[in-house]
Amino acid sequence: MAKRDYYEVLGISKGASASEIKKAYRKKAIEFHPDKNPDNKEAEAKFKEAAEAYEILSDADKKARYDQYGHQAFENGGGFGGGGMNMDDIFSQFGDIFGGGFGGFSGFGGGGGQRRVKGSNLRIRVKLTLEEIANGVEKKIKVKRKVQAPGTTYKTCSTCNGTGQVTRITNTILGRMQTSSPCNVCGGAGETIDKKPADADAQGLKIAEETVSIKIPAGVVEGMQLKVSGKGNEAPGNGISGDILVVIEEEPHEKLQREGDNLHYDLYVSFSDAVLGTSKEIDTVTGKVRIKVEAGVQSGKILRLRGKGIPSINGYGKGDLLVHVNVWTPKTLSKQQKEFFENMREDEHFEPKPEKSDKSFFEKVKDMFS
Ligand code: ZN
């Protein structure tokens, strides 16, 4: 489904000021708020859509990127896994926007009600070959995560009666003051353990090994972190699961060197092949290809195979494969070969006569980046 324009989502024009953007979002958020639209999937989708639009447009840097590139600017960025933001992200990030005027929310933070406890995140490293990076890959990975132990039951916290908050009234010289703080018996969750099996920890959780399928888009880079929402450690009671943070590692390739989205390949050709011309098979990330090497090729020549590099993570096309020609000069020669080259020393065909097309290495590098 095509994504709607963020300005259209919030019903504002491109020139809207920061306060207009905020006002527009607040209006949409209240209209589609889950408390007002219980069990209404469409309202929930609209609520999320508005939050996403606000997340981008309320941030000057993200807004500038969006204005320039549109949705492409954020593909594979925040909303990895297709889930986008979840409701808790929205409330924890933008909860303050509802401050005053709109009452607290059931089940979420923000307005000062009960908090849903979130399980901790898991961080895993995934090693990928260049081929996997170029084509995108789905990895099945075994993870050890905390899950609610079967047989664990929870009950409403008797200290805070399930509100997650403890209110205290103190007498001060200014009069009676009411303060509330998170309940320290249940940690603000509003629930405590009723029964748990022997192998569960204090929170009623135990370690389970699970296989998680992780879709990795093409074009990722070393050190990049992807989020798989809800696949981290579970939380006790009605809390929400943490996330898995996938850290990308790139395995070095035997023949190909990556530089951004471009790839480099060093091709060695014999002296004879350089003189006579030949064809050579080279490695690419999508298999081997045969390329033609013209007769009279110079060492340092770069052959550019367009689109044979790595796809851009943002979806703007693909990089190129740059094949660097290195002419291999023989180091040992037979007597006859030596004689042959001695005779060629003064030969006019062996005399270097560089033309414009035989640019020096530095000129070529300059061209590549211009
Ligand atoms: Zn409590």
Side-chain angles (χ1 to χ4, degrees):
M1 196 183 73
K3 264 188 143 172
R4 283 212 296 158
D5 176 72
Y6 288 146
Y7 292 97
E8 188 191 316
V9 168
L10 295 182
I12 49 176
S13 69
K14 273 208 166 187
S17 70
S19 75
E20 283 169 328
I21 292 170
K22 190 168 179 173
K23 226 167 113 187
Y25 169 56
R26 191 165 184 276
K27 211 176 117 192
K28 293 282 173 197
I30 290 170
E31 185 183 346
F32 299 116
H33 194 280
D35 279 359
K36 278 200 175 175
N37 304 272
D39 297 320
N40 182 339
K41 284 281 160 210
E42 199 190 325
E44 189 182 319
K46 288 232 160 109
F47 185 75
K48 286 181 175 175
E49 191 185 27
E52 187 184 317
Y54 181 66
E55 190 208 356
I56 303 300
L57 299 182
S58 62
D59 179 311
D61 177 53
K62 288 179 183 170
K63 181 175 182 294
R65 273 162 65 201
Y66 177 73
D67 288 345
Q68 193 170 358
Y69 302 114
H71 290 301
Q72 281 196 331
F74 307 102
E75 267 172 26
N76 304 311
F80 177 71
M85 299 170 90
N86 66 38
M87 295 301 257
D88 290 281
D89 288 341
I90 295 170
F91 287 113
S92 64
Q93 231 169 312
F94 307 130
D96 64 312
I97 201 158
F98 305 108
F102 195 75
F105 310 113
S106 57
F108 294 102
Q114 174 188 327
R115 260 168 211 288
R116 287 183 73 189
V117 173
K118 192 174 176 188
S120 50
N121 292 339
L122 293 173
R123 181 185 287 259
I124 56 170
R125 308 186 78 86
V126 175
K127 234 182 186 171
L128 300 173
T129 65
L130 206 50
E131 285 84 356
E132 288 173 328
I133 288 171
N135 300 306
V137 66
E138 189 167 349
K139 287 271 182 191
K140 298 217 186 301
I141 291 174
K142 273 197 180 143
V143 294
K144 283 185 177 157
R145 60 190 291 249
K146 285 186 185 175
V147 294
Q148 288 187 8
T152 302
T153 54
Y154 298 87
K155 60 180 181 196
T156 303
C157 174
S158 55
T159 306
C160 63
N161 291 318
T163 61
Q165 299 272 325
V166 187
T167 306
R168 274 191 311 176
I169 294 172
T170 44
N171 291 306
T172 74
I173 49 165
L174 299 169
R176 282 160 78 82
M177 298 262 292
Q178 185 176 318
T179 54
S180 48
S181 51
C183 171
N184 57 19
V185 173
C186 62
E191 292 176 312
T192 53
I193 288 188
D194 185 21
K195 272 184 279 180
K196 68 178 178 72
D199 62 345
D201 69 9
Q203 293 184 298
L205 304 174
K206 64 185 237 177
I207 301 280
E209 193 169 70
E210 283 178 22
T211 303
V212 177
S213 179
I214 298 169
K215 251 192 167 159
I216 295 164
V220 292
V221 292
E222 170 91 23
M224 193 176 257
Q225 196 167 282
L226 307 172
K227 186 167 102 176
V228 187
S229 293
K231 295 288 184 182
N233 289 323
E234 283 186 356
N238 67 356
I240 54 165
S241 297
D243 307 319
I244 292 182
L245 303 174
V246 182
V247 182
I248 301 296
E249 278 181 38
E250 185 179 315
E251 269 179 48
H253 192 279
E254 203 188 325
K255 300 272 180 62
L256 297 165
Q257 299 244 14
R258 181 177 182 182
E259 183 193 39
D261 294 336
N262 287 335
L263 296 172
H264 296 270
Y265 182 98
D266 265 318
L267 176 68
Y268 288 89
V269 296
S270 73
F271 204 77
S272 313
D273 280 345
V275 172
L276 302 171
T278 186
S279 77
K280 288 277 181 192
E281 201 170 62
I282 62 164
D283 292 33
T284 77
V285 284
T286 48
K288 291 190 185 293
V289 296
R290 190 162 273 281
I291 59 164
K292 199 177 172 199
V293 179
E294 301 281 348
V297 69
Q298 300 298 343
S299 208
K301 179 157 181 90
I302 297 168
L303 308 170
R304 184 186 285 262
L305 305 187
R306 285 197 190 277
K308 289 282 184 193
I310 305 286
S312 156
I313 184 80
N314 295 318
Y316 312 121
K318 283 179 171 187
D320 301 329
L321 171 56
L322 300 156
V323 180
H324 300 256
V325 176
N326 300 276
V327 177
W328 186 258
T329 310
K331 291 181 177 175
T332 47
L333 295 172
S334 69
K335 204 170 161 236
Q336 293 99 313
Q337 287 167 335
K338 217 169 205 167
E339 259 169 40
F340 168 77
F341 284 112
E342 277 298 346
N343 291 333
M344 293 303 122
R345 247 192 224 280
E346 305 302 323
D347 188 279
E348 61 161 329
H349 292 141
F350 276 65
E351 188 77 9
K353 293 183 205 77
E355 293 161 21
K356 263 212 174 115
S357 60
D358 304 316
K359 284 179 190 167
S360 77
F361 173 73
F362 294 106
E363 284 174 312
K364 277 182 198 131
V365 171
K366 215 169 65 196
D367 279 1
M368 264 169 51
F369 295 104
S370 61

